[in-house]
Amino acid sequence: MTMAALKAQNVAQLSYQGKTIDLPVCFGTDGPGVLDLQGLYSATGLFTFDPGYTSTASCRSEITYIDGAKGILLYRGYPIQQLAEKSDFMEVAYLLLYGDLPTSVQKDEFIQTINNHTLVHEQVSSFFRGFRRDAHPMAIMVGVVGALSSFYHDSLDIQDPAQRHIAALRLIAKMPTLAGMAYKYSIGQPFVYPQSHLSYSENFLNMMFSTPTTPYVINPLWAKAIDRILILHADHEQNASTSTIRLAGSSGANPFACIAAGIAALWGPAHGGANEAVLGMLEEIGHVDRIPEFIGRAKDKNDPFRLMGFGHRVYKSYDPRASVLRETCYEILGEAGVKDNQMLQLAMELERIAMADEYFIEKKLYPNVDFYSGIIFKAMGIPVTMFTVLFAIARTVGWISQWKEMIADPMQKIGRPRQLYVGKAYRDFIPMEKRLEESQ
Ligand code: ACO
């Protein structure tokens, strides 16, 4: 199914140097409309200038909708709270990929297909041995996911819808396997193969924590929490990593290379790396007695310190993902053993104090999804360096759905932004013997 052509519902006028041009204004299902600027350059000789894309819709999409002011996040129209409560990650993956919730037969078939693709080519394991043991797992993921394109030659033809789809399924299925391998390699333990009788989340936990000597007993509460975190992170509209994938894919690059590019973009602390920063901050605070000092620093205009895991660029009311994860976080922390953990107690006390503080209330600085996911991962014993890898596993389905949508969109063309050139004006080449004199 292809998307309908853009239809103008209104017109805006732009006057420049005595000439007035009409710019079509188009609206989607919901959210702000767009000024269609495709004809702007030919009509006026002007480009638009919007660093950071703060006023730019880079594409049209049917997948995810966010209303940051109202705290709304919808996948294919369904609110994230309902999906987190009533669905599971495989169903949500199906929804994002195909556009509708599966019937029970479709769901079973989908899970079986994913299970058929969880193994990676045995030779992929030799890639791992080339990395240092202390390599960051995100560095390993960028490398090995990109390297998948050298193994699966039968799913590289992006003009073939069947090949595009098989590549999507392979990526969703193999990401947890590769993530588990990255972790096991870093601690010197043997790789654990995926098990088809386990759910997606159970499989991930098993590949992380099982060893040949001791079978891992999966805690159902933990598997449910991982599943929920995967649902909450599965897609988030045209964020930095998704836009990276669309741009890389617009040149015709293969899907494995595109996802590797997305993983690289996600790695940055301003994007997927924030939950790592939350744990760094908690370590720095060290003790509940020091919380007032750090709250004071966060409020001090002359101190660059900010409370990590608080505030959000898009959500100016509560991040709907954070409210769901808050409940899960409390469930996990209520488990025996966890309540004795000093760092987790510190996190809960910090949340309590900040949410009662006038500064945070007035500026609408609520805990964001990274605050709670970091604490949950920590409680499960998942190392901090793996936090962003888990984000990448979840986001793979969103990335690949967006990539597939882009390739199938008849409006798709290579992404090629222009620029405002502020360098030297035209000048003639200076021969070597004259350069010193010229510069003096
Ligand atoms: N701690 C203390 N003060 C804060 C914080 C914070 N975490 N976040 C924002 N503020 C203050 C700012 O100092 C500013 O104050 P002012 O109005 O007096 O100048 C005001 O709140 C607005 O802040 P901005 O930076 O303009 O808000 P913006 O929307 O641009 O920033 C951001 C959002 C980057 C997430 C910010 O809240 C922040 O740095 N948070 C901490 C890092 C973090 O948790 N990032 C994860 C985001 S979630 C995600 O990526 C999945």
Side-chain angles (χ1 to χ4, degrees), residues 233 236 269-272 274 278 298-299 301 305-314 316 319 321 359-360 363 365 368-370 391:
H233 288 82
H236 213 225
H271 192 5
V278 170
K299 293 176 353 185
K301 280 239 153 290
F305 174 79
R306 283 183 168 198
L307 275 197
M308 290 290 116
F310 283 76
H312 195 279
R313 171 57 63 86
V314 179
K316 294 304 174 194
D319 175 344
R321 303 167 301 171
Y359 173 93
F360 289 88
K363 292 189 188 297
L365 298 170
N368 58 47
V369 70
D370 288 317
F391 194 156

Side-chain angles (χ1 to χ4, degrees), residues 140-185:
I140 296 181
M141 293 301 282
V142 171
V144 292
V145 173
L148 292 182
S149 37
S150 64
F151 287 92
Y152 301 104
H153 295 158
D154 59 345
S155 53
L156 297 183
D157 179 359
I158 66 154
Q159 302 309 334
D160 178 353
Q163 292 201 31
R164 295 202 293 266
H165 194 60
I166 193 91
L169 298 170
R170 281 176 169 156
L171 277 155
I172 296 165
K174 293 179 200 311
M175 281 292 282
T177 312
L178 294 173
M181 291 169 84
Y183 175 59
K184 287 297 191 190
Y185 182 76

Side-chain angles (χ1 to χ4, degrees), residues 362-383:
E362 192 202 308
K363 292 189 188 297
K364 299 190 169 76
L365 298 170
Y366 301 100
N368 58 47
V369 70
D370 288 317
F371 184 73
Y372 296 112
S373 63
I375 295 168
I376 293 171
F377 294 152
K378 176 77 184 166
M380 290 179 181
I382 293 173

Side-chain angles (χ1 to χ4, degrees), residues 34-81:
V34 296
L35 266 180
D36 181 352
L37 298 178
Q38 293 179 88
L40 181 73
Y41 177 60
S42 58
T44 64
L46 293 173
F47 295 139
T48 59
F49 183 62
D50 185 20
Y53 309 114
T54 52
S55 297
T56 296
S58 61
C59 64
R60 57 183 182 161
S61 179
E62 296 180 344
I63 301 175
T64 293
Y65 174 70
I66 303 173
D67 183 330
K70 294 189 187 141
I72 291 172
L73 170 61
L74 310 177
Y75 292 166
R76 302 280 191 185
Y78 295 106
I80 194 69
Q81 295 90 336

